[in-house]
């Protein structure tokens, strides 16, 4: 699996926690919105895409970033 702070490593960490040997147990797959912040400063958001909520989540993430 990809590791490190490059695009592939960050995507693996945010999307599925980096695998069973890393942080996959930290992901709550039934939640609409997850804000992921790693110890090394990587961050991201997982969002269950629904058209009605898209503008609200986009505004929230814009404000946070």
């Amino acid at each position: 699996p990809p590791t490190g702070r490059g695009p592939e490593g960050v995507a693996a960490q945010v999307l599925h926690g980096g695998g069973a040997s890393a942080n996959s147990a930290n992901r709550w797959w039934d939640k609409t919105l997850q804000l992921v912040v790693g110890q090394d400063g990587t961050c991201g958001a997982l969002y269950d895409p629904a058209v009605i909520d898209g503008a609200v989540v986009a505004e929230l993430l814009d404000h946070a970033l």
Side-chain angles (χ1 to χ4, degrees):
T3 59
R5 290 188 59 126
E8 296 86 8
V10 172
Q13 185 62 249
V14 171
L15 290 176
H16 53 74
S21 63
N23 295 314
S24 289
N26 282 345
R27 300 298 181 262
W28 297 350
W29 304 110
D30 61 336
K31 304 303 178 199
T32 302
L33 178 65
Q34 296 180 63
L35 301 176
V36 179
V37 180
Q39 289 181 342
D40 64 353
T42 59
C43 61
L46 292 175
Y47 171 62
D48 180 22
V51 174
I52 196 162
D53 297 332
V56 174
V57 171
E59 185 69 27
L60 171 74
L61 295 176
D62 185 48
H63 181 74
L65 295 174

